[in-house]
Amino acid sequence: MAPDRAVTDRNGDQMQQEVLATVSATGARRVMAITVLVLLGGVLVYIALAQPPQALGWQLIMLGVGCGVLVLAERMRRAEVTVLELTREALREKGGAVLVRMDQIATVNRGVFAFKPSNGFVIITHAPQPLQWNPGLWWRVGRRIGVGGVAPAVQAKYMADVMQAILTEGADSQP
């Protein structure tokens, strides 16, 4: 286990917590995901310029989507160095940015039919959270936070199990 560290949350409060579980993207998965996005974006831009469709609108759409996919690949390349850490207080990024505090979580779902990232799980919160996205690792929309994507399934499953245990423990201790 990782040593205790002091981390500042959004309110400026110090949180000193032991890291119980981590999720990070592996090198091979990162390279594969980024390569696929770069190839897709490159092929779309190439086709739009080398053999453009008859209608100018379709050419602009292909260029726009191709450039958008290339921008997404670059965002994913930068974002994949992020590591998620779970403590008894919160799920946070290694740098200290808090994704969600444990007392804000209603449920953790990693079922087969859950709307979740590949190899991951989804967290349902009590109240809507601000929209945020770290391509390939996590996203947050409304009351849902998805963790997974290019992260190994073993790490995500372990983190979800630990979160569920903390939530169950907290529910048992309340009157």
Side-chain angles (χ1 to χ4, degrees):
M1 293 209 194
D4 293 349
R5 290 194 327 212
V7 176
T8 305
D9 69 2
R10 279 188 280 181
N11 303 327
D13 300 330
Q14 287 285 325
M15 295 187 317
Q16 180 133 355
Q17 292 292 321
E18 177 184 6
V19 175
L20 304 173
T22 61
V23 171
S24 61
T26 59
R29 289 176 190 259
R30 277 184 53 203
V31 169
M32 182 65 177
I34 294 169
T35 300
V36 167
L37 288 175
V38 168
L39 287 175
L40 175 62
V43 165
L44 286 171
V45 169
Y46 174 76
I47 290 172
L49 296 176
Q51 297 178 347
Q54 296 290 14
L56 179 63
W58 284 112
Q59 183 178 15
L60 293 176
I61 289 172
M62 288 179 72
L63 277 172
V65 171
C67 290
V69 170
L70 290 172
V71 168
L72 177 64
E74 175 59 17
R75 283 203 57 204
M76 184 179 280
R77 185 190 67 79
R78 290 182 185 184
E80 290 305 320
V81 295
T82 304
V83 175
L84 294 180
E85 298 176 332
L86 176 66
T87 66
R88 288 197 169 276
E89 287 291 315
L91 176 63
R92 65 186 187 209
E93 289 185 341
K94 191 170 188 168
V98 175
L99 273 66
V100 64
R101 298 184 72 82
M102 293 302 290
D103 58 1
Q104 297 172 328
I105 297 175
T107 62
V108 177
N109 190 350
R110 58 180 180 91
V112 176
F113 298 110
F115 179 69
K116 62 182 177 58
S118 167
N119 296 328
F121 59 93
V122 68
I123 300 167
I124 311 292
T125 60
H126 295 292
Q129 304 289 319
L131 177 68
Q132 203 168 354
W133 181 38
N134 194 332
L137 195 56
W138 65 272
W139 50 260
R140 181 171 54 201
V141 177
R143 294 181 52 218
R144 296 182 180 275
I145 301 170
V147 176
V150 295
V154 173
Q155 288 180 0
K157 181 179 187 282
Y158 179 71
M159 181 177 279
D161 289 344
V162 172
M163 285 179 111
Q164 192 62 49
I166 292 170
L167 293 173
T168 303
E169 179 182 288
D172 291 344
S173 66
Q174 293 179 357

